[in-house]
Amino acid sequence: MKKIFNLIGKINLLILLILAASCTDNEVEPLFDQSINERTEVLKEEYLDLLAAPDNGWIGYYSPNEDTGLFTVLMNFDENGDVSVKSGYRGGAENKNITYRLDKTLKIELVFESHTVFHSIFEINNNNNKGEFVFNILSATEDEIILESKLDFGDDVTVFTLRRALESEVDLETLYKSLDALTGGPTESVFRNILLNDKAIATFDFNPNTRFATITYIKNGSLQSEVVRLIVTNTGFNFPTPVDVNGTILTSFTYNELENEFQNETEKLRILYDDIPGLLLNPYDFGNEGGNIRILRTNEGFLSRDRSSTAFVSFFEGWRSDFATNIGFSISRVYIRNINTATPFLDIYIPVSGGDARARFDCTYTLEQGIVGNNIVKFTFNETSPNNLDFGLAPSFAPITDFIFRDSGFYIQKMEPLNASQNTIGLIPVDDTSMLVQWYDF
């Protein structure tokens, strides 16, 4: 038995010697021909060439998070580390040339070395970044570069896709015109309707700061609103995700400057300012939901922003300024009181030493239905009221009294809540729909 074990041991030793001999003439092939640093430098050179290749640069639509819309960004890189960055943000106010570099930590990074429009857009919703702005390069081809923000964490991580810009997209001045047309001017109506075959199917509202549009329509007998992103283009705008309004699909619109409206001629769709509401406004039971109403002003800090129209704010603050200049006192508050009784009155507060002076104008009001079933309230100055006989419609109060006691009356629209128990209400003159004034009830 001992001899058998010795024999087995000698056989195993022989096998090992044969295997060792057979390997002496072979070398292990390396997995890569270059070190990791060498491979990184090669990849960076490839990316540099791709970035600098397009004559018209790269274009993409940047958003820092889900709460912000999409902003057009046009970038033209050179191989020396300079890049021209232009965008649709603030009408191009932050267009500039800066420097960039390609770096690497875990991935190849595109690093913008000084403040640019990416910082400003990133900071819209109280974000903060005072340093370099960094994207990871996820992939890059001749036609598309996909970037990932290195500043984002969690589930809301921005992926920013660039494509080669077309020659027609290089001049952003036409994009700025589209943005101005979308934003509208202070004299435009607060009613903006979406028409299909000239019949209103929805309303349209655009916030130029966030780049979101609000589409409101009636579904199953009730108002429904969708807040959606849109992309401003050189010819108009488009929805990156189409919007379905009861079977009508909203995709893209072209601005018609002559008609001052956005159109999709193929689908027979138009978006335009109108003097009448296209749909039923959010109803408010005037006289029953609150006994008094007061004009809400921005500086009172009740809401994040004043929703009175620009036209009304300009008119109202102009009247207050003129009153202070001519009379020597300021206007602090404007109410309509007792609207839940038979004796309503316009009540204007004027701060004086020792308290407030008050100008009272007794009135009545009526409610009637207008187009699409919207309620209209009409206030009438009561010329026979004892309170009014002595005071009269003094010239210094005429701008606001003429505004309130107008023959056309006001459309009534419930707006956002002031708090759990109070509403805000929009009153829109029927004969001047640019002048929405926001009140709150109590």
Side-chain angles (χ1 to χ4, degrees):
M1 183 65 69
K2 183 177 180 181
K3 292 180 179 180
I4 293 174
F5 283 121
N6 288 335
L7 179 61
I8 293 172
K10 291 177 180 179
I11 293 172
N12 288 336
L13 178 60
L14 180 62
I15 292 172
L16 289 173
L17 290 172
I18 293 171
L19 289 174
S22 66
C23 295
T24 56
D25 295 331
N26 296 323
E27 294 182 0
V28 177
E29 292 291 336
L31 187 60
F32 297 105
D33 293 332
Q34 299 168 310
S35 70
I36 187 169
N37 290 335
E38 291 172 329
R39 295 197 306 275
T40 296
E41 290 305 313
V42 170
L43 190 57
K44 286 166 66 175
E45 287 299 323
E46 291 178 2
Y47 285 170
L48 279 173
D49 291 342
L50 287 172
L51 286 170
D55 292 336
N56 300 318
W58 296 90
I59 194 168
Y61 308 102
Y62 173 71
S63 171
N65 51 50
E66 294 178 350
D67 297 324
T68 306
L70 296 161
F71 294 82
T72 299
V73 180
L74 176 68
M75 295 183 287
N76 207 315
F77 298 85
D78 70 21
E79 294 177 343
N80 300 317
D82 295 315
V83 57
S84 165
V85 183
K86 300 179 181 179
S87 77
Y89 180 71
R90 294 181 58 208
E94 299 201 26
N95 292 352
K96 62 176 68 173
N97 296 328
I98 62 169
T99 58
Y100 77 97
R101 71 178 188 274
L102 295 182
D103 215 333
K104 184 181 185 301
T105 49
L106 296 177
K107 300 176 182 178
I108 302 293
E109 299 164 350
L110 174 58
V111 182
F112 295 97
E113 296 182 323
S114 56
H115 190 281
T116 186
V117 69
F118 292 112
H119 293 78
S120 299
I121 299 173
F122 184 76
E123 293 165 2
I124 287 177
N125 287 327
N126 297 318
N127 295 319
N128 187 30
N129 176 41
K130 299 302 182 183
E132 297 174 324
F133 208 94
V134 184
F135 290 99
N136 290 322
I137 300 179
L138 299 184
S139 65
T141 68
E142 292 182 352
D143 299 314
E144 183 181 75
I145 296 175
I146 301 178
L147 307 175
E148 175 189 67
S149 173
K150 199 175 178 182
L151 302 176
D152 299 333
F153 301 94
D155 297 330
D156 192 3
V157 177
T158 294
V159 175
F160 180 37
T161 301
L162 299 173
R163 61 170 173 81
R164 284 174 174 257
L166 304 175
E167 187 175 351
S168 60
E169 296 172 316
V170 172
D171 182 7
L172 294 185
E173 291 300 322
T174 51
L175 183 146
Y176 303 147
K177 289 181 179 178
S178 296
L179 178 59
D180 289 342
L182 264 172
T183 304
T187 61
E188 302 286 8
S189 172
V190 298
F191 300 130
R192 204 171 193 179
N193 298 325
I194 303 176
L195 276 57
L196 172 63
N197 292 321
D198 296 327
K199 182 179 179 180
I201 61 169
T203 63
F204 177 89
D205 182 60
F206 174 66
N207 185 325
N209 297 318
T210 65
R211 300 297 169 92
F212 278 100
T214 302
I215 312 296
T216 303
Y217 54 96
I218 297 175
K219 185 173 184 178
N220 299 326
S222 60
L223 288 175
Q224 178 168 320
S225 292
E226 292 190 38
V227 180
V228 295
R229 286 173 166 169
L230 58 74
I231 296 173
V232 184
T233 68
N234 287 28
T235 58
F237 71 91
N238 63 64
F239 296 106
T241 301
V243 181
D244 186 343
V245 178
N246 293 316
T248 298
I249 309 301
L250 310 182
T251 55
S252 62
F253 289 82
T254 300
Y255 181 58
N256 183 324
E257 186 173 4
L258 184 63
E259 300 293 337
N260 189 28
E261 64 184 42
F262 288 86
Q263 302 172 343
N264 184 321
E265 293 185 351
T266 302
E267 302 297 332
K268 308 299 182 186
L269 289 163
R270 303 159 63 201
I271 299 177
L272 49 79
Y273 292 103
D274 210 335
D275 291 332
I276 58 175
L279 302 176
L280 183 68
L281 300 173
N282 195 17
Y284 177 77
D285 191 2
F286 195 86
N288 293 319
E289 293 195 52
N292 309 278
I293 58 175
R294 173 183 169 185
I295 290 179
L296 181 62
R297 291 173 47 223
T298 304
N299 61 359
E300 293 173 321
F302 290 113
L303 292 175
S304 58
R305 69 183 179 99
D306 188 350
R307 295 187 182 273
S308 293
S309 67
T310 301
F312 176 79
V313 172
S314 178
F315 154 76
F316 188 71
E317 296 304 330
W319 166 62
R320 292 181 68 245
S321 177
D322 290 343
F323 190 93
T325 300
N326 298 330
I327 306 301
F329 294 99
S330 62
I331 300 292
S332 63
R333 289 169 281 171
V334 176
Y335 300 87
I336 299 178
R337 295 187 181 274
N338 290 357
I339 59 175
N340 58 344
T341 73
T343 58
F345 61 95
L346 175 65
D347 196 15
I348 301 173
Y349 276 54
I350 308 163
V352 296
S353 58
D356 285 314
R358 296 167 61 182
R360 171 174 172 154
F361 302 89
D362 287 354
C363 60
T364 58
Y365 72 85
T366 58
L367 291 171
E368 60 185 56
Q369 276 202 345
I371 296 174
V372 200
N374 288 297
N375 281 339
I376 295 173
V377 59
K378 293 183 178 181
F379 300 97
T380 303
F381 178 65
N382 188 347
E383 297 183 4
T384 62
S385 168
N387 292 318
N388 294 339
L389 290 176
D390 293 334
F391 195 80
L393 290 178
S396 295
F397 294 102
I400 194 66
T401 54
D402 289 347
F403 178 83
I404 298 296
F405 301 134
R406 63 199 314 130
D407 293 336
S408 71
F410 298 84
Y411 292 112
I412 309 168
Q413 178 182 18
K414 179 181 284 190
M415 304 180 77
E416 64 184 292
L418 184 67
N419 52 47
S421 60
Q422 292 178 274
N423 303 292
T424 66
I425 311 103
L427 296 184
I428 306 127
V430 173
D431 61 349
D432 186 356
T433 54
S434 71
M435 298 278 277
L436 181 150
V437 51
Q438 185 182 28
W439 308 69
Y440 68 90
D441 63 15
F442 60 99

